[in-house]
Amino acid sequence: MLKNRILPLLAAGVLAFLAGCADNSSEALSSAEAVGSSPVSFAPAESQPAALPVQDREGNPISVPDKLERIISTAPSNTEILLALGLGDKLIAMDIYSADVEGADTALPQMDFYNPDGEAILELEPDLILASGHNKIGADDPLALLKEAGICIAYIPSSSSTQSICDDILFVGQLTGTEPAAQALVEDYQKQLEQIRAIAQTIPEEERKTVYFELDISPNLYSFGSGTFLNEFIELIGAENIFAEQEGWLSCGSEAVLEANPDVILTNVSYIDAPIEEIKSREGWNALDAVKNNQIYSIDTNASSRPTHKSIDALWQMAKAVYPDYYA
């Protein structure tokens, strides 16, 4: 049995790999590193089913079973894609953050994949673990011992663009034999991207606005620069991110925001009461144009933090908040 093959490995190494995994209580902060994805090719929906992939989205070699009946998801974004592809009945467990994914079966076992219980996972006898780059702490792979035991583990790193979001969906479709459903999701997503892009092109240069998007406030203000899908979202709606000249997910000081003086402030912080009022109450922030003009808006936390087809909902919210006269 698979369990017998890994128990000696667990006895020798479980303490070491658990010690290397840090507890992470903030999903927003766990996405602080945006990792590039390996390019993949997919057959169009009308063609014969594509061959099973031999690499995951990180470029790691994988051997996919011919039949996938038992799947574990280790991230809400993966769970959201799997459910959209009609694979909810094949999910046998998920991460602790997937409980609020629409349509998720909350009766399923929920696990902490920063500190995974290898024996508990083995007892579930999964055919596939669809993992996330968020599960890794630096170079440590918390699922390495399970991989050595022969379980197929396919990693999807943190998406940095709308293109990589589409590629991730198509990869999961190829991986699970649901290519037509994946293609349909991507086509709808891209259609809406084009609608937003077309409207943005009609906004005169003199009406273009600058935006500060706040992801976290503790212990420091947290935002993002270029090389992230949220920065691309700001550009798609015809605005400019005040931190566009910086790279990736970043900690920023209040002084930097005050100096940039954004026209609009967006926030997806939802773990405190009245985040907009909290922003308005900060020392010196009453001098900001966004505060003076009451241009502060909340964006759905899940839609703006999960790089899936549903991120389009956050994009529309951002567009309507920044340019209500154009995105009615």
Side-chain angles (χ1 to χ4, degrees):
M1 289 209 27
L2 186 58
K3 181 176 178 181
N4 294 333
R5 282 185 275 150
I6 194 172
L7 284 178
L9 289 169
L10 286 171
V14 69
L15 292 178
F17 88 81
L18 288 179
C21 297
D23 180 47
N24 190 323
S25 60
S26 169
E27 184 178 359
L29 287 178
S30 76
S31 64
E33 294 180 329
V35 183
S37 301
S38 301
V40 288
S41 298
F42 302 94
E46 66 272 15
S47 71
Q48 293 297 316
L52 292 173
V54 296
Q55 290 185 332
D56 65 13
R57 291 284 286 142
E58 283 190 346
N60 306 307
I62 56 174
S63 180
V64 184
D66 290 334
K67 288 188 66 176
L68 294 178
E69 298 296 333
R70 302 176 64 80
I71 302 173
I72 294 177
S73 169
T74 74
S77 54
N78 294 346
T79 303
E80 203 159 70
I81 294 171
L82 288 166
L83 291 175
L85 297 179
L87 297 167
D89 61 335
K90 297 187 185 300
L91 272 175
I92 58 170
M94 58 189 181
D95 68 292
I96 57 178
Y97 300 109
S98 284
D100 64 346
V101 173
E102 184 179 358
D105 182 357
T106 55
L108 291 176
Q110 297 171 30
M111 301 181 173
D112 177 5
F113 284 96
Y114 293 102
N115 296 280
D117 184 337
E119 187 169 355
I121 293 172
L122 284 170
E123 289 177 350
L124 293 172
E125 299 184 345
D127 300 317
L128 168 70
I129 298 178
L130 191 60
S132 167
H134 295 169
N135 304 138
K136 295 184 177 181
I137 307 297
D140 294 332
D141 183 352
L143 303 177
L145 294 177
L146 296 169
K147 186 183 298 184
E148 290 177 22
I151 295 177
C152 178
I153 299 174
Y155 269 100
I156 297 179
S158 179
S159 296
S160 59
S161 66
T162 56
Q163 182 59 57
S164 61
I165 290 172
C166 292
D167 287 346
D168 290 345
I169 295 169
L170 292 170
F171 170 77
V172 177
Q174 182 185 359
L175 185 69
T176 59
T178 56
E179 295 98 326
Q183 188 67 40
L185 279 183
V186 167
E187 288 175 357
D188 180 69
Y189 186 78
Q190 291 176 332
K191 178 181 178 180
Q192 294 189 65
L193 290 177
E194 289 306 314
Q195 289 175 343
I196 290 170
R197 184 179 287 109
I199 295 171
Q201 292 173 350
T202 69
I203 301 172
E205 192 65 34
E206 62 272 15
E207 293 185 34
R208 303 273 169 154
K209 298 178 182 179
T210 56
V211 174
Y212 165 59
F213 196 127
E214 188 165 284
L215 302 174
D216 203 354
I217 61 174
S218 177
N220 302 302
L221 301 185
Y222 209 77
S223 189
F224 53 85
S226 61
T228 61
F229 74 90
L230 286 176
N231 182 75
E232 184 180 348
F233 277 10
I234 292 176
E235 293 177 346
L236 275 168
I237 67 175
E240 179 185 352
N241 177 11
I242 65 169
F243 293 121
E245 293 185 359
Q246 300 189 48
E247 191 77 24
W249 311 96
L250 52 93
S251 177
C252 57
S254 180
E255 297 79 7
V257 180
L258 291 171
E259 182 179 352
N261 190 21
D263 298 311
V264 180
I265 296 174
L266 305 177
T267 179
N268 68 359
V269 171
S270 59
Y271 56 84
I272 63 170
D273 294 331
I276 291 177
E277 294 306 313
E278 192 279 335
I279 289 172
K280 290 179 179 180
S281 68
R282 294 174 188 168
E283 183 178 356
W285 283 49
N286 58 348
L288 292 175
D289 288 344
V291 176
K292 288 188 292 186
N293 297 323
N294 203 32
Q295 296 296 295
I296 311 173
Y297 303 95
S298 288
I299 304 300
D300 183 81
T301 304
N302 291 336
S304 60
S305 60
R306 296 174 185 165
T308 75
H309 55 290
K310 288 198 171 183
S311 66
I312 200 72
D313 295 339
L315 181 56
W316 279 111
Q317 289 175 19
M318 293 165 63
K320 292 175 181 180
V322 178
Y323 297 112
D325 293 338
Y326 289 89
Y327 298 95

